[in-house]
Amino acid sequence: MNEKVLSLLEFDKVVGIVLSHAQTAIGKELIASLKPSSCFEEVMRRLTETTAVRRWFERHGAPPIGAVRDVRGEIERARHGAVLEPWELLAIAGTLSAALDVKAELKRHGELPEPLASLSEEISDLKWLVQHIRMCIDERGNVVDDASGRLRQVRNRLRSLRETILGKLHALLVEPGIQHAIQEPIITIRGGRYCIPIKASHRHAVKGVVHDKSSSGLTLFVEPESIVELGNEFRELQLDEEREVQRILRGLTDDVVKSLPEIERVMRSIARIDMLFALAEFSRAMKCVEPEVHPDGATVLLGARHPLLGEAAVPIDVRVGGDFNALIITGPNMGGKTVTLKTIGLLTLMAQAGMHIPAKEGSRIRVFQKVFADIGEEQSIELSLSSFSSHMLNIATMLEHADNKALILIDELGAGTDPEEGAALSKAILKRLCEMGAVVVCTTHLGEVKAFAQGHPNFMNASMQFDPQTLQPTYKLVMGSPGASYALIIARRLGMPTEVIEDAERMRKSSFAEWERALKEVDRQRNELERQLAAIEMERQSLRSLIERYEDELQKLSEERERLLRQAREEALGIIKRASDEVESILREMRKQTSESVVTEKLRKRLTELKREFASEVKGAAQASYVPRVGESVFVPRIRVHGTVVETRESSGQVLIEVDGLRFWMPLGEVQAAHVKREGASEPPTAALRIRKMLSVPNELNIIGRTVEEALQIVDKFLDDAFLAGHRAVRIIHGKGKLRQAVHGLLKKHAHVESFELAPLNEGGTGATIVKLKVV
């Protein structure tokens, strides 16, 4: 399957649509390299994987893959001995961290299907490398003081020495004896040395080293003699700092190099995960299905649509192969013959590449080892070839390579030359291709080819339907009969003079005229039958509407029954509650008595037993399980959104809810009936935002290693996200130093915080805080 055939059938454009669903550069690159496979087992594996991922995607959505960056360039630099820059190391750490997030999100939903299970296991846990890089480099790309003891020591001395030098220079600037020599009372740096600007005419007023002069030559930048030694030490310390930073970066780069096989495995896994979810999203967006695939037999497409035509595509049913080898498609110009030809070829390529196809369930695809196509006008000025010559060259190549594993698609066979010779050549070509075992689909206008196919057992005619009443094509394919070209009718409709049309009618050979009349009569009878079928379908639809109306009435009766049962249960709970309150009142009165008789004691015990029984019944009734039906509207108090039930699992106590296209599982105990709209309930896109937050925001945050300013910003954002996610409580890990005090100060005045306390010993003790959030 060469690139020319893939381009002719527009496979690359379909790949482009799939690519638009990918989230990462490495995933897009993998999709761009996607090609059909000629191996039956490989095709089966690809389709099975796409189906498994689409099912998972429809239940849980796509994991957050977008944060994974393409760091292959950084990896290659490290492999070839370069010391990675801080931002390159941060990019690697960010990618590894994002990959672990993808793995965690996939595993959060329980057992994974293949290939997601295997791919997630390929994502190695390199947290140690991520933490090591982030401990040494801050978010701005600076190597931090604590990256090594030596670096901390050098930088502390640098800061101290800088203050000493600046102090001496400030003192010098205010000395009365040299005020006349100073050009401007500032301190500047030249060549890494601290200097003051001195007038060139007073050069000898300040002893020291001249490091630079102004462009006019009127100002000299002098390092005073009193700080030269300090400047020398300062410069040496700067060089020490640079060497230590390079040593730290080299060490981090070496850690990356040691982990290269695991990092590259992570990148490959993420790319494949991204590609599979892109294929799943494409399948859902295009309303595709997994076709049945077979190594031989027939290709059967039901309700097949060309994926590039969108809503304008007219579904077709077509069969080729099996009990016949060649399908001859005829019909009027602009009737859809070429689109049908391309649809058969393109959907075959898509299936063999592992893509679902836009068709109905039950469609079957035969896996071919070779696909040839000759479609459209192809002239070659350089080779002095006409369109006919170009077509013949393509067909000669097909005849050379055709066998029983080949699919051959030919558009307008026999066109571009004398009709009689073209028809004879077309019949010979088709006959030879079928003898070689190839499956052939071709379009033609030649009547002799239609007649040849009608009488040959290994051929099947098909036609694009044309409505002679409206003089418009319907773009529907009819198997089993050839179609008229309707050339004269179309010419008349497009404004051809009547006398020209009548002359053409007289000039046609009588045998072809009779053939055309017979085809038109077949079309007329077929259209009449289709109109009758349409009338029957309308009756069927009417019956279906009647059934649906009765089902609606039955649903209403069922809902009324549920309402009455719910009302009765609520009344019963009220009675129990009132009885319990009365028992409690009696007990309180009895406790006021100073002394108790034996009877009173017995009554007290009995009342206590009654209270216990009533409390048990109240609790049992209150916790009576509410199990919503599929399609029922429900309310989720935790995030205050309304949704529709998609699936219920009473055995596990879970319910799948859809809100604005997003699906998520919730415990049955956290779902209520939604007969009336709640006050303050969220609407899309707010509801969608709350759901995404609930599915993605963790209930724990670690800010150890951050500055106070950074930590407070991160905590503030985290609390906002956790509030939107409906979390009741979260844990913030801050350590036992100044971060704890700063975080507690923020929590005291934060709008979403109800209360907070230090964590129990087994959850971090004084190094962590448990924050209880307000209810949404």
Side-chain angles (χ1 to χ4, degrees):
M1 302 179 195
N2 58 46
E3 291 295 332
K4 180 181 176 182
V5 171
L6 297 181
S7 178
L8 278 174
L9 295 175
E10 300 176 294
F11 178 78
D12 55 330
K13 294 181 181 178
V14 175
V15 169
I17 298 174
V18 177
L19 195 142
S20 69
H21 293 289
Q23 299 183 51
T24 67
I26 53 177
K28 290 179 180 180
E29 186 176 304
L30 186 60
I31 292 167
S33 68
L34 191 61
K35 295 290 185 289
S37 171
S38 59
C39 173
F40 173 71
E41 289 76 14
E42 175 67 11
V43 172
M44 282 286 293
R45 183 188 65 79
R46 291 185 184 185
L47 286 170
T48 301
E49 289 182 350
T50 302
T51 299
V53 175
R54 175 174 172 179
R55 287 174 183 162
W56 198 94
F57 169 72
E58 288 180 335
R59 291 182 60 186
H60 308 295
I65 312 175
V68 177
R69 287 182 49 190
D70 184 0
V71 293
R72 289 174 297 179
E74 290 86 342
I75 289 172
E76 283 306 307
R77 276 178 32 80
R79 192 196 311 276
H80 289 91
V83 176
L84 296 181
E85 298 293 341
W87 57 86
E88 293 177 305
L89 290 163
L90 284 178
I92 291 173
T95 288
L96 295 176
S97 178
L100 287 173
D101 290 342
V102 171
K103 180 176 182 177
E105 177 62 20
L106 290 174
K107 295 206 163 188
R108 187 171 69 86
H109 298 285
E111 187 175 352
L112 289 169
E114 288 296 342
L116 294 180
S118 298
L119 290 172
S120 65
E121 290 304 318
E122 291 290 307
I123 299 175
S124 302
D125 188 350
L126 293 171
K127 283 182 183 176
W128 67 269
L129 180 57
V130 174
Q131 290 172 352
H132 192 193
I133 291 172
R134 288 177 172 173
M135 283 176 60
C136 294
I137 304 171
D138 64 23
E139 289 182 348
R140 293 182 295 275
N142 299 317
V143 178
V144 299
D145 294 359
D146 291 335
S148 74
R150 172 62 180 161
L151 184 62
R152 188 189 311 109
Q153 179 184 3
V154 169
R155 285 183 174 172
N156 286 340
R157 177 57 184 154
L158 274 171
R159 281 189 284 269
S160 173
L161 197 56
R162 183 183 294 110
E163 290 175 3
T164 301
I165 291 171
L166 292 175
K168 286 180 175 293
L169 289 174
H170 281 301
L172 188 61
L173 286 173
V174 297
E175 280 190 14
I178 65 168
Q179 290 296 307
H180 65 286
I182 296 175
Q183 187 73 272
E184 190 178 356
I186 61 171
I187 299 171
T188 184
I189 297 176
R190 289 292 186 274
R193 313 289 289 203
Y194 286 95
C195 301
I196 58 177
I198 300 297
K199 296 175 183 176
S201 58
H202 294 75
R203 163 67 186 88
H204 299 290
V206 177
K207 292 183 179 180
V209 180
V210 177
H211 288 288
D212 200 0
K213 67 178 179 178
S214 65
S215 56
S216 66
L218 298 177
T219 304
L220 302 177
F221 296 95
V222 178
E223 180 183 20
E225 188 178 51
S226 60
I227 68 162
V228 169
E229 286 303 319
L230 294 176
N232 291 339
E233 184 183 355
F234 188 83
R235 184 59 186 149
E236 289 173 5
L237 286 170
Q238 284 182 318
L239 295 173
D240 286 347
E241 179 191 26
E242 290 173 8
R243 283 190 290 268
E244 183 61 15
V245 165
Q246 283 299 303
R247 188 192 67 78
I248 291 166
L249 294 178
R250 165 52 70 188
L252 293 173
T253 302
D254 290 343
D255 288 341
V256 168
V257 171
K258 291 174 188 173
S259 304
L260 279 183
E262 293 169 288
I263 297 173
E264 289 173 329
R265 192 161 55 244
V266 168
M267 299 293 287
R268 286 193 299 270
S269 298
I270 288 294
R272 282 210 62 212
I273 290 171
D274 194 14
M275 180 183 75
L276 288 167
F277 275 99
L279 288 170
E281 287 197 57
F282 169 84
S283 174
R284 187 175 73 166
M286 289 282 187
K287 299 176 182 175
C288 296
V289 300
E290 178 189 358
E292 301 172 23
V293 290
H294 305 273
D296 48 33
T299 286
V300 180
L301 298 175
L302 305 175
R305 296 166 280 116
H306 195 291
L308 301 180
L309 294 181
E311 296 297 324
V314 176
I316 60 167
D317 294 342
V318 62
R319 176 172 59 90
V320 60
D323 54 348
F324 64 91
N325 272 42
L327 180 67
I328 311 302
I329 302 174
T330 54
N333 286 313
M334 301 182 296
K337 298 189 299 297
T338 302
V339 171
T340 298
L341 191 73
K342 285 187 172 183
T343 300
I344 295 168
L346 180 55
L347 267 57
T348 298
L349 297 179
M350 288 171 62
Q352 292 188 210
M355 300 181 196
H356 287 175
I357 62 172
K360 292 180 180 178
E361 295 285 353
S363 294
R364 304 174 66 215
I365 293 286
R366 174 174 168 178
V367 176
F368 293 96
Q369 291 185 1
K370 308 169 188 175
V371 178
F372 298 98
D374 181 69
I375 300 172
E377 295 292 328
E378 291 190 40
Q379 296 186 358
S380 175
I381 296 174
E382 293 85 356
L383 298 176
S384 299
L385 292 177
S386 66
S387 296
F388 178 77
S389 300
S390 179
H391 289 315
M392 288 303 104
L393 277 176
N394 288 339
I395 292 171
T397 302
M398 296 175 185
L399 289 166
E400 183 181 351
H401 296 96
D403 56 25
N404 62 356
K405 300 295 183 182
L407 171 65
I408 294 177
L409 309 168
I410 307 175
D411 192 26
E412 300 291 0
L413 180 61
T417 189
D418 175 76
E420 187 175 345
E421 291 185 351
L425 186 59
S426 297
K427 290 186 286 185
I429 290 169
L430 291 170
K431 181 172 177 291
R432 178 59 180 155
L433 288 172
C434 287
E435 288 171 351
M436 298 173 76
V439 173
V440 183
V441 184
C442 87
T443 69
T444 186
H445 284 287
L446 299 174
E448 285 190 39
V449 177
K450 305 176 196 177
F452 174 73
Q454 196 71 11
H456 198 293
N458 208 20
F459 285 63
M460 172 71 76
N461 268 311
S463 60
M464 303 309 300
Q465 195 177 52
F466 185 84
D467 190 338
Q469 292 185 351
T470 63
L471 302 180
Q472 294 287 341
T474 65
Y475 304 107
K476 293 181 180 177
L477 182 70
V478 179
M479 297 288 294
S481 66
S485 295
Y486 290 96
L488 299 182
I489 291 176
I490 292 172
R492 188 191 301 273
R493 179 169 65 85
L494 295 176
M496 186 70 69
T498 302
E499 57 271 21
V500 174
I501 300 297
E502 290 173 351
D503 279 350
E505 289 280 6
R506 285 191 295 271
M507 292 177 182
R508 283 201 306 171
K509 291 182 180 179
S510 60
S511 58
F512 284 121
E514 290 172 7
W515 172 259
E516 288 288 329
R517 280 195 293 273
L519 288 179
K520 291 174 184 176
E521 177 60 21
V522 169
D523 278 350
R524 188 194 66 76
Q525 293 178 6
R526 183 170 60 237
N527 290 336
E528 179 61 29
L529 284 173
E530 288 187 352
R531 275 190 282 272
Q532 293 176 13
L533 285 172
I536 294 170
E537 178 63 21
M538 287 181 65
E539 290 292 331
R540 194 171 70 85
Q541 291 288 350
S542 178
L543 286 173
R544 180 182 295 171
S545 298
L546 192 60
I547 291 170
E548 289 176 352
R549 194 177 78 189
Y550 283 126
E551 286 178 345
D552 287 342
E553 292 295 327
L554 186 62
Q555 177 71 15
K556 289 176 183 176
L557 288 172
S558 176
E559 289 176 356
E560 179 64 14
R561 175 178 172 274
E562 288 290 332
R563 187 188 67 79
L564 292 173
L565 285 173
R566 188 163 50 250
Q567 182 179 344
R569 185 166 60 247
E570 289 171 356
E571 290 175 357
L573 286 172
I575 293 170
I576 294 172
K577 180 69 167 60
R578 286 193 296 274
S580 178
D581 291 343
E582 187 175 347
V583 169
E584 182 63 35
S585 177
I586 293 171
L587 285 173
R588 281 197 300 270
E589 288 297 322
M590 292 177 66
R591 291 190 194 101
K592 294 177 182 178
Q593 304 297 322
T594 56
S595 62
E596 294 182 328
S597 65
V598 174
V599 175
T600 303
E601 175 63 20
K602 288 180 179 179
L603 285 172
R604 190 183 68 79
K605 289 181 179 179
R606 177 58 183 152
L607 285 172
T608 302
E609 291 171 0
L610 284 172
K611 178 178 179 294
R612 214 175 277 122
E613 291 171 7
F614 280 134
S616 175
E617 289 191 36
V618 169
K619 183 178 179 182
Q623 293 179 347
S625 59
Y626 162 65
V627 181
R629 296 182 300 276
V630 172
E632 184 177 348
S633 179
V634 294
F635 180 70
V636 184
R638 175 178 166 187
I639 51 176
R640 299 198 67 76
V641 296
H642 287 86
T644 303
V645 175
V646 178
E647 182 179 347
T648 301
R649 292 183 179 175
E650 292 187 57
S651 59
S652 61
Q654 296 282 312
V655 60
L656 180 62
I657 300 171
E658 179 171 316
V659 177
D660 193 30
L662 296 172
R663 294 186 176 187
F664 56 97
W665 289 93
M666 290 294 292
L668 281 168
E670 292 192 36
V671 176
Q672 298 176 3
H675 297 292
V676 293
K677 196 136 187 174
R678 263 66 170 185
E679 285 284 325
S682 299
E683 296 294 344
T686 307
L689 175 62
R690 288 190 185 281
I691 294 165
R692 290 193 181 96
K693 293 294 185 185
M694 181 182 73
L695 297 176
S696 63
V697 176
N699 57 10
E700 182 180 283
L701 175 68
N702 188 336
I703 56 171
I704 293 176
R706 305 283 187 174
T707 66
V708 170
E709 182 180 356
E710 291 171 349
L712 292 181
Q713 290 178 357
I714 294 169
V715 170
D716 186 51
K717 174 72 166 55
F718 173 67
L719 293 173
D720 288 342
D721 289 344
F723 176 78
L724 285 174
H727 291 337
R728 305 288 168 79
V730 295
R731 183 168 72 128
I732 301 174
I733 304 170
H734 43 58
K736 301 177 182 179
K738 59 184 178 181
L739 281 181
R740 181 177 67 188
Q741 183 178 355
V743 168
H744 283 191
L746 173 65
L747 295 177
K748 288 177 182 177
K749 57 186 179 182
H750 201 282
H752 300 325
V753 174
E754 181 173 307
S755 63
F756 62 94
E757 61 184 3
L758 291 174
L761 286 175
N762 61 346
E763 292 185 33
T766 57
T769 296
I770 304 297
V771 183
K772 184 178 180 183
L773 299 174
K774 293 177 181 177
V775 178
V776 178

